[in-house]
Amino acid sequence: MKKILLMLAAVFSLLTACKEHQPVTTEEIANDKIYLFYANTCPHCHDALKYLNQNHPDLPVTMVNVANRHGYELFIKCARKFNLGRQIGTPLFCIGNHYLMGWSPNKALEFDRLVKQFSPQG
């Protein structure tokens, strides 16, 4: 039980540390935004959030929790946009006309390349 509470506390602290934690207010996937679809119980989501906070603290990212109904519906719309079928998981980034699913050091390099156009530094 303590481990679960610690994990939830860690997720909460990572999410509150993310400067652009924005609630989803649209029902469509915008091409001029970066979305991060995450699940609180996903360890790879924690790694991706940590990377974002350390390496891209000013990057505007719309955080979408797939555990709530609206978040899940938008998650499915993103999967449909990129024809991902049923093999979808978190973390899932929708970055303009590109997507990135999962997280690893190699994914971090690809993420950096894809978000360059969205970066405040240009």
Side-chain angles (χ1 to χ4, degrees):
M1 182 66 165
K2 284 184 180 182
K3 287 183 181 182
I4 292 172
L5 291 176
L6 288 174
M7 181 187 268
L8 290 174
V11 169
F12 181 75
S13 67
L14 284 173
L15 290 177
T16 55
C18 185
K19 290 187 178 184
E20 289 295 324
H21 179 71
Q22 305 166 356
V24 176
T25 58
T26 181
E27 292 297 322
E28 297 301 322
I29 301 291
N31 286 328
D32 61 345
K33 287 186 172 183
I34 300 170
Y35 297 88
L36 169 53
F37 294 92
Y38 70 93
N40 291 338
T41 58
C42 170
H44 301 293
C45 294
H46 293 271
D47 294 341
L49 282 169
K50 183 177 178 183
Y51 183 84
L52 279 174
N53 287 324
Q54 289 176 347
N55 297 286
H56 298 281
D58 298 323
L59 190 66
V61 176
T62 300
M63 306 292 293
V64 184
N65 187 341
V66 299
N68 69 54
R69 185 176 58 87
H70 294 295
Y72 182 75
E73 288 171 359
L74 202 57
F75 180 58
I76 297 303
K77 286 182 181 187
C78 179
R80 287 182 182 143
K81 176 180 178 176
F82 296 107
N83 297 315
L84 299 178
R86 296 183 181 268
Q87 298 298 322
I88 58 174
T90 57
L92 174 63
F93 289 92
C94 289
I95 307 166
N97 291 318
H98 303 278
Y99 76 93
L100 186 67
M101 189 168 26
W103 194 256
S104 68
N106 290 338
K107 298 279 183 163
L109 295 173
E110 187 176 352
F111 177 82
D112 291 343
R113 182 182 59 78
L114 291 173
V115 300
K116 199 171 220 174
Q117 66 179 336
F118 294 95
S119 177
Q121 291 88 10

